[in-house]
Amino acid sequence: MPKILILDCKQEISSFNPLPSEYEDFHIERGDELFKHRGLNTEIGGALDVFERDPDVEAAPAIAARAGSAGLLSADGWRRLSSEILDVVRERIGDVDAIYASMHGAMGADGELDPEGALLAEIRDMAGPDVPIVVSLDLHGIMTDRMLRKIDALAVYHTYPHVDFADTGARAARLLLRLLKGAVRPVTARVVIPALVRGDELITATGCYGDLIRECQRIERNGAALSAAVMIGNPFTDVPELCTQVLVSTDDDPQTARDEAIRLATEFWPQRFRMQGKLIALDRAIAQARTMKGPVVFTDAGDATSSGASGDSNVILSALRDADYPGRVLAQIVDPGAAAAAHAAGVGATVRVTLGGAIDPARYTPMAVEARVALLSDGRSRLETMRTPLDAGLTAVLVFGEFTVVVMSRTVSLFDRAMYYSCGCNPVDYDLIVVKSPHTEFHMYDAWVEKNFNINAPGATSADLPTLGHRICSRPIYPLDPDAGFQPEAVIYRSSANR
């Protein structure tokens, strides 16, 4: 019975976060532990569902390593992580017939700016040219030339905010089964677009980017393409091949792959202006919010931990306090010192601490507060959509004046309400809620707040992209270079089965 090796390696980084990631930041599952993903909205969960429904194949889970978005992975962290992953694959690859790799695409490590490509190159060398390899990726990933030369096919998220984790894994798995059975011979066309994008037009349910994604879905569903994607990259991962790109795979039909990829890229280019963050000055947002019945959300996308920021921005908190904003405020911040002080003092105690600037003091000045410790937590929760675990370390709820702040020791993804809920805070009970994510699923906030303000605040994931200081990515690229031009050209990649 053919065996399919399953591996997972995922992290998204911001090159502008000063705190490096380490090996210890990764949650690692080995062997049969991956079967815990059955029924979960994860790529592995979706792939397992497909593989286990096919009586003619056997899933052979190897290793899964996932870390929350953060800064560049340290050189030592990368050496340890990559060695562990490759050692496990090396032990198991001798008797496998195909490989499914769940990846993100926006990793980065000190000394290796294409970690996914490095792993795939080593795995391809181990597997040889005839073992099919299919990967799944986040649409914020960066598919590199090296990655494309080592794989046979790919599947990419079709939603933002992301909800199709399992669906993407299932699409990758179905494609891999077709490859394994010799039913398809993939060719992939890649068109690189020199543009970085951000903002509300990227919401696939409502924005112009979603119109292009629905075209990708259409040509997948009608059989013209095996897979199709518009990958917008992560503009905060400053690496050589950072870009937007269109990828179209067909069954041994390079002309259709080329034509469709060029068509989609040509449609994308004139809309790059729309796909930029629309930001509002903080003082104006506060002035408007205090006249509203509310509730309102202040989106702090500049400090979005799910995109790789440090999470220790106090810019909005400080401005609201200085402006004597009268409403009840709910916010989150990463400050391990303040969390530790609260745990040492105990529930009900009053503590004098500083909040903010614990990780990125160059951007944020610590803010002194005298607060009551309302609740203490171990910082463990689960994401609302994926149901995968969060671990924010020692966590405390501090209350001062009209402010309620969830103080965490470690960065975790804050693109839903999980950390608020697990700390006994319900956003509907407040007048103003700070959300450290560029977007959340509609029902979480936008469905019931009066206004969601996208605040212009500094941070390692600011939507004001030209202010970040890119040094490594290819130039010219819009909007870092407003006059960047574009002439679509497609490069064709053939799978090992079709070379």
Side-chain angles (χ1 to χ4, degrees):
M1 181 180 293
K3 287 186 178 180
I4 300 173
L5 185 143
I6 302 172
L7 68 101
D8 173 284
C9 182
K10 295 185 71 176
Q11 187 185 32
E12 181 179 32
I13 67 106
S14 170
S15 304
F16 311 107
N17 181 341
L19 181 67
S21 300
E22 299 295 345
Y23 171 85
E24 290 75 16
D25 295 321
F26 282 79
H27 174 70
I28 298 179
E29 299 165 318
R30 300 168 181 84
D32 288 351
E33 289 180 318
L34 273 66
F35 287 125
K36 295 177 182 177
H37 287 258
R38 286 176 175 139
L40 294 183
N41 186 16
T42 66
E43 295 92 322
I44 295 175
L48 283 173
D49 183 61
V50 171
F51 295 146
E52 293 181 337
R53 288 175 184 268
D54 190 323
D56 297 324
V57 299
E58 178 183 348
I63 188 168
R66 295 188 176 205
S69 303
L72 194 73
L73 181 59
S74 72
D76 286 342
W78 166 243
R79 279 193 291 270
R80 186 174 175 187
L81 179 69
S82 59
S83 295
E84 183 169 349
I85 292 171
L86 293 172
D87 285 348
V88 171
V89 173
R90 190 175 294 110
E91 290 174 2
R92 304 188 179 205
I93 204 165
D95 64 345
V96 302
D97 302 278
I99 298 169
Y100 166 55
S102 166
M103 293 180 160
H104 185 284
M107 285 187 72
D110 185 4
E112 179 50 79
L113 295 180
D114 181 16
E116 294 95 341
L119 289 174
L120 289 169
E122 292 282 349
I123 292 168
R124 173 58 75 191
D125 286 346
M126 293 182 212
D130 299 327
V131 173
I133 300 175
V134 173
V135 299
S136 61
L137 295 163
D138 192 312
L139 57 81
H140 290 106
I142 301 150
M143 174 60 83
T144 65
D145 175 80
R146 177 165 58 166
M147 293 169 68
L148 281 162
R149 292 183 186 278
K150 302 303 178 182
I151 66 170
D152 295 276
L154 70 156
V156 179
Y157 295 174
H158 281 157
T159 63
Y160 176 71
H162 308 312
V163 295
D164 61 334
F165 307 102
D167 178 73
T168 303
R171 287 189 287 120
R174 287 191 290 268
L175 187 49
L176 182 56
L177 290 180
R178 296 177 71 187
L179 264 163
L180 184 60
K181 296 172 183 179
V184 292
R185 295 164 60 86
V187 294
T188 300
R190 180 196 192 206
V191 178
V192 171
I193 305 171
L196 306 178
V197 293
R198 204 69 175 157
D200 291 343
E201 289 294 336
L202 302 182
I203 298 174
T204 49
T206 57
C208 61
Y209 174 56
D211 295 335
L212 295 171
I213 293 296
R214 281 181 283 280
E215 276 296 285
C216 292
Q217 292 173 311
R218 178 184 67 80
I219 62 175
E220 282 190 12
R221 291 166 180 166
N222 71 12
L226 298 174
S227 67
V230 181
M231 295 182 70
I232 53 178
N234 177 33
F236 317 115
T237 306
D238 188 15
V239 294
E241 293 188 55
L242 175 63
C243 65
T244 293
Q245 57 187 305
V246 178
L247 297 155
V248 177
S249 299
T250 60
D251 183 8
D252 203 17
D253 185 354
Q255 190 60 53
T256 295
R258 185 190 309 273
D259 291 347
E260 291 290 1
I262 288 176
R263 177 180 69 85
L264 288 165
T266 302
E267 291 181 15
F268 180 97
W269 179 248
Q271 300 188 75
R272 68 195 184 280
F273 304 104
R274 296 173 63 186
M275 299 185 210
Q276 302 298 318
K278 279 65 171 186
L279 303 173
I280 184 170
L282 180 52
D283 58 349
R284 173 170 289 193
I286 294 172
Q288 291 181 13
R290 67 191 306 147
T291 68
M292 293 178 172
K293 183 179 180 181
V296 299
V297 161
F298 274 23
T299 287
D300 189 5
D303 194 34
T305 54
S306 58
S307 301
S310 52
D312 64 330
S313 172
N314 57 14
V315 170
I316 291 175
L317 279 176
S318 180
L320 288 167
R321 188 173 70 169
D322 291 347
D324 292 324
Y325 175 75
R328 297 160 297 171
V329 175
L330 178 63
Q332 294 167 321
I333 200 163
V334 177
D335 195 312
H343 274 259
V347 173
T350 297
V351 293
R352 293 179 176 84
V353 295
T354 60
L355 292 178
I359 299 169
D360 197 350
R363 286 190 175 98
Y364 314 123
T365 301
M367 178 180 75
V369 300
E370 182 176 304
R372 176 176 60 86
V373 181
L375 180 143
L376 297 174
S377 162
D378 62 4
R380 295 183 183 274
S381 186
R382 285 188 176 272
L383 289 170
E384 287 186 70
T385 299
M386 299 176 73
R387 302 304 300 160
T388 50
L390 298 172
D391 184 358
L394 292 180
T395 296
V397 177
L398 298 184
V399 177
F400 52 97
E402 295 297 314
F403 294 83
T404 299
V405 183
V406 177
V407 184
M408 299 164 286
S409 295
R410 290 197 293 267
T411 58
V412 294
S413 292
L414 299 174
F415 53 71
D416 64 10
R417 301 162 295 188
M419 288 306 300
Y420 281 142
Y421 283 159
S422 65
C423 290
C425 301
N426 190 339
V428 300
D429 295 332
Y430 295 84
D431 301 299
L432 188 153
I433 308 100
V434 179
V435 177
K436 287 180 181 275
S437 174
H439 297 102
T440 63
E441 292 180 50
F442 179 76
H443 70 275
M444 294 178 181
Y445 292 102
D446 292 295
W448 51 271
V449 300
E450 182 174 350
K451 171 67 179 174
N452 187 336
F453 292 94
N454 193 4
I455 303 299
N456 188 4
T461 57
S462 170
D464 189 358
L465 302 181
T467 69
L468 290 171
H470 290 78
R471 299 180 298 104
I472 300 173
C473 67
S474 296
R475 307 287 288 268
I477 189 168
Y478 181 86
L480 311 185
D481 306 290
D483 297 328
F486 174 55
Q487 183 63 42
E489 297 180 3
V491 176
I492 299 295
Y493 299 83
R494 294 182 179 272
S495 79
S496 58
N498 200 19
R499 291 178 187 136

